């Protein structure tokens, strides 16, 4: 009987020790760190993508994205050292270094006199392989914030020289004079952010299988929001999510060694998820098969194919095929009239177009865009950045630190603390 009690006590003692043993075997710091930044991706941009997926499935609720399903979330403030509404350079600097700076500046403190180092630079000093990727140009504000130090984000020659000198192991994005196509406009064989992340993982693991840091920006969410193109915005958010799935698959293979953090630099466009009625119809945007950015070029191509003679009836057929307007999406008499007038004004050269930060649209393109927003019953308040909260999502080693209300400067500080780096 005594032997039984001794065996039972010994078993209980071992059961108490085993969790501590396995906990000790689990690394306290991550070896692999993914940092995703959705440029212009506010809370409503994420929600819109989830509503869209839910409505495609025929329900009123949402269908969560991969990254929005991560177990830890936070709301993030984004003001800069010079304004309550940040630009991408100041926000990128805050997200990269944990330091506020003035709008327009990269990698400098608020005085614009002292350089501040990013966590990518710190990771490199700690012996990790380092990658910086984006769907826009790598001399753009957010990626540049991880290697550059200059008073103006427009100092392209300085930024490109600092990019060449930074010594990072993998830098990839669009050519300096171009852009990676929107998801809606992508042709077979053209790169997506998921493709870039997959290549980055392979490359960084080859350079140093013992550890890497990768920052990957979904830059075209911002472009879509500046131009108030809701379908393009949702497409880019879904593309961003696909890229994060690549990291999540890596995490599933290395769950005790990986940290994934997802956030944004600011919200763009003041996205409003209804427009005067208790309704929203984002699923109608599935009928838009090209961006408004591409529409102008497509109209020119159509005109050329018809030897310059473009009739309204032909445009109607084009709109049905590429936007669903007048077929899958019925038009009111007012909408039909507005489209026809905008087309005629544009053809005569008297149309009143609109120029936004990254594109210039004809009156006809602007009219199509506005009617698609009416169909979806959503709206944008403007074509600039806003001061709204942006989200943060995290999973993996140390992810529990990303909860509640935090500032954008807290994110790199928390990553550095979790990684055990001395800033």
């Amino acid at each position: 009987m005594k032997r039984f009690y001794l065996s039972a006590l010994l078993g209980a003692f071992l059961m108490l020790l085993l969790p501590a043993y396995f906990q000790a075997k689990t690394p306290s710091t991550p070896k692999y760190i993914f940092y995703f930044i959705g440029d212009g991706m506010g809370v409503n941009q994420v929600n819109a993508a989830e509503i869209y997926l839910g409505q495609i499935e025929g329900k009123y609720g949402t269908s969560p994205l991969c990254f929005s399903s991560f177990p830890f979330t936070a709301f993030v403030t984004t003001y800069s050292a010079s304004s309550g509404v940040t630009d991408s350079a100041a926000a990128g600097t805050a997200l990269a270094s944990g330091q506020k700076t003035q709008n327009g500046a990269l990698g400098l403190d608020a005085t614009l006199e002292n350089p501040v180092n990013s966590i990518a630079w710190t990771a490199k000093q700690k012996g990790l392989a380092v990658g910086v990727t984006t769907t826009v140009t790598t001399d753009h504000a957010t990626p540049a914030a991880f290697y550059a130090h200059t008073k103006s984000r427009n100092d392209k020659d300085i930024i490109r020289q600092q990019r060449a000198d930074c010594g990072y192991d993998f830098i990839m994005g669009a050519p300096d004079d171009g852009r990676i196509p929107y998801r809606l406009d992508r042709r077979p064989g053209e790169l997506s952010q998921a493709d870039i992340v997959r290549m980055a993982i392979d490359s960084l693991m080859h350079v140093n299988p013992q550890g890497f840091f990768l920052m990957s920006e979904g830059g075209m969410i911002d472009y879509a929001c500046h131009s108030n193109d809701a379908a393009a915005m949702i497409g880019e958010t879904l593309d961003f999510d696909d890229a994060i799935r690549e990291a999540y698959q890596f995490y599933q293979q290395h769950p005790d060694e990986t940290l994934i953090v997802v956030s944004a630099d600011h919200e763009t466009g003041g996205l409003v998820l209804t427009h005067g009625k208790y309704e929203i119809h984002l699923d109608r945007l599935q009928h838009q098969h090209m961006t408004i950015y591409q529409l102008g070029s497509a109209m020119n191509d159509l005109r050329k194919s018809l030897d310059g003679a473009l009739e309204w009836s032909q445009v109607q057929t084009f709109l049905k095929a590429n936007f669903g307007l007048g077929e899958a999406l019925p038009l009111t008499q007012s909408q039909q009239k507005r489209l026809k007038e905008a087309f005629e004004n544009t053809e005569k050269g008297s149309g009143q177009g609109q120029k936004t930060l990254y594109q210039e649209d004809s009156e006809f393109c602007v009219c199509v865009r506005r009617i698609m927003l009416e169909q979806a019953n959503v709206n944008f308040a403007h074509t600039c950045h806003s001061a709204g909260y942006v989200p943060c999502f995290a999973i993996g080693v140390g992810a529990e630190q990303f909860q509640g209300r935090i500032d954008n400067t807290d994110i790199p500080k928390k990553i550095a603390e979790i990684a055990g780096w001395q800033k």
Side-chain angles (χ1 to χ4, degrees), residues 170-191:
F170 188 92
I171 300 178
M172 188 172 185
D176 287 342
D177 59 351
R179 61 168 76 181
I180 291 173
Y182 283 109
R183 180 187 182 106
L184 275 182
D185 300 332
R186 188 179 302 140
R187 297 174 181 175
E190 291 181 321
L191 283 178

Side-chain angles (χ1 to χ4, degrees), residues 32-53:
Y32 311 108
I33 299 172
F34 293 89
Y35 192 6
F36 287 93
I37 298 173
D39 197 328
M41 188 187 74
V43 174
N44 274 6
Q45 278 76 4
V46 177
N47 197 13
E50 294 184 322
I51 293 171
Y52 171 83
L53 292 177

Side-chain angles (χ1 to χ4, degrees), residues 67-393:
F67 69 83
S68 65
S69 304
F70 289 175
F72 298 101
T73 59
F75 287 109
V76 184
T77 51
T78 63
Y79 61 92
S80 74
S82 60
S83 176
V85 180
T86 189
D87 85 320
S88 291
T93 299
L95 290 169
S97 69
Q99 296 287 324
K100 296 283 186 184
T101 193
Q102 298 182 35
N103 282 1
L106 286 168
L108 299 174
D109 68 7
T111 69
L112 304 186
E113 298 298 329
N114 304 301
V116 292
N117 291 320
S118 74
I119 53 172
W121 180 88
T122 303
K124 189 64 180 173
Q125 304 311 301
K126 297 296 181 181
L128 277 69
V130 171
V132 170
T133 77
T134 181
T135 55
V136 294
T137 60
T138 56
D139 60 1
H140 214 258
T142 301
F146 284 81
Y147 62 77
H149 309 277
T150 178
K151 291 182 180 180
S152 173
R153 60 182 289 181
N154 296 318
D155 292 332
K156 294 299 184 182
D157 289 341
I158 294 174
I159 292 169
R160 289 168 185 172
Q161 185 59 54
Q162 292 177 341
R163 178 182 63 190
D165 295 339
C166 71
Y168 294 168
D169 303 283
F170 188 92
I171 300 178
M172 188 172 185
D176 287 342
D177 59 351
R179 61 168 76 181
I180 291 173
Y182 283 109
R183 180 187 182 106
L184 275 182
D185 300 332
R186 188 179 302 140
R187 297 174 181 175
E190 291 181 321
L191 283 178
S192 67
Q193 188 177 0
D195 294 329
I196 295 172
V197 168
R198 196 179 308 116
M199 287 187 284
I201 292 171
D202 290 344
S203 178
L204 295 174
M205 283 293 281
H206 178 76
V207 172
N208 185 0
Q210 298 307 309
F212 65 71
F213 171 89
L214 174 63
M215 190 291 293
S216 183
E217 180 201 25
M220 299 290 285
I221 301 171
D222 181 62
Y223 279 43
C225 290
H226 274 294
S227 61
N228 290 177
D229 189 339
M233 175 270 296
I234 289 173
E236 292 309 297
T237 305
L238 296 177
D239 217 54
F240 186 60
D241 191 52
D242 286 346
I244 296 168
R245 286 180 190 276
E246 295 292 327
Y248 182 68
Q249 289 174 9
F250 182 92
Y251 159 80
Q252 289 178 310
Q253 297 169 6
H254 308 273
D256 298 327
E257 301 174 307
T258 305
L259 170 65
I260 305 174
V261 179
V262 182
S263 194
D265 52 355
H266 51 73
E267 192 276 342
T268 300
L271 177 62
V272 183
L273 295 180
T274 190
H275 191 202
K277 295 184 287 186
Y278 293 146
E279 296 178 21
I280 189 167
H281 304 289
L282 288 172
D283 56 313
R284 295 178 181 175
L285 297 177
Q286 68 183 298
H287 301 291
Q288 181 174 333
H289 302 309
M290 66 176 63
T291 64
I292 301 301
Y293 174 78
Q294 185 65 27
L295 173 59
S297 297
M299 290 294 291
N300 288 335
D301 291 342
L302 179 62
R303 190 179 294 107
K304 289 176 183 177
S305 72
L306 299 168
D307 297 323
L310 192 54
E311 301 294 334
W312 172 237
S313 60
Q314 295 163 329
V315 174
Q316 287 179 300
T317 300
F318 175 88
L319 290 175
K320 289 176 183 178
N322 293 284
F323 290 85
L325 294 175
E327 192 167 71
L329 305 178
L331 294 166
T332 65
Q333 287 187 351
S334 173
Q335 289 172 333
Q336 293 180 52
K337 180 181 178 182
R338 286 159 51 200
L339 280 169
K340 185 177 182 181
E341 288 179 353
F343 163 71
E344 291 172 347
N345 290 341
T346 298
E347 291 299 294
K348 289 185 295 186
S350 60
Q352 299 297 311
Q354 182 181 21
K355 185 176 182 179
T356 52
L357 186 59
Y358 295 115
Q359 68 190 62
E360 187 169 2
D361 299 313
S362 69
E363 181 177 326
F364 176 70
C365 292
V366 171
C367 187
V368 172
R369 184 194 72 202
R370 288 174 177 165
I371 288 176
M372 291 306 296
L373 291 173
E374 291 168 11
Q375 289 283 343
N377 204 42
V378 295
N379 199 20
F380 289 90
H382 46 73
T383 61
C384 302
H385 298 175
S386 76
Y389 285 116
V390 298
C392 181
F393 306 92

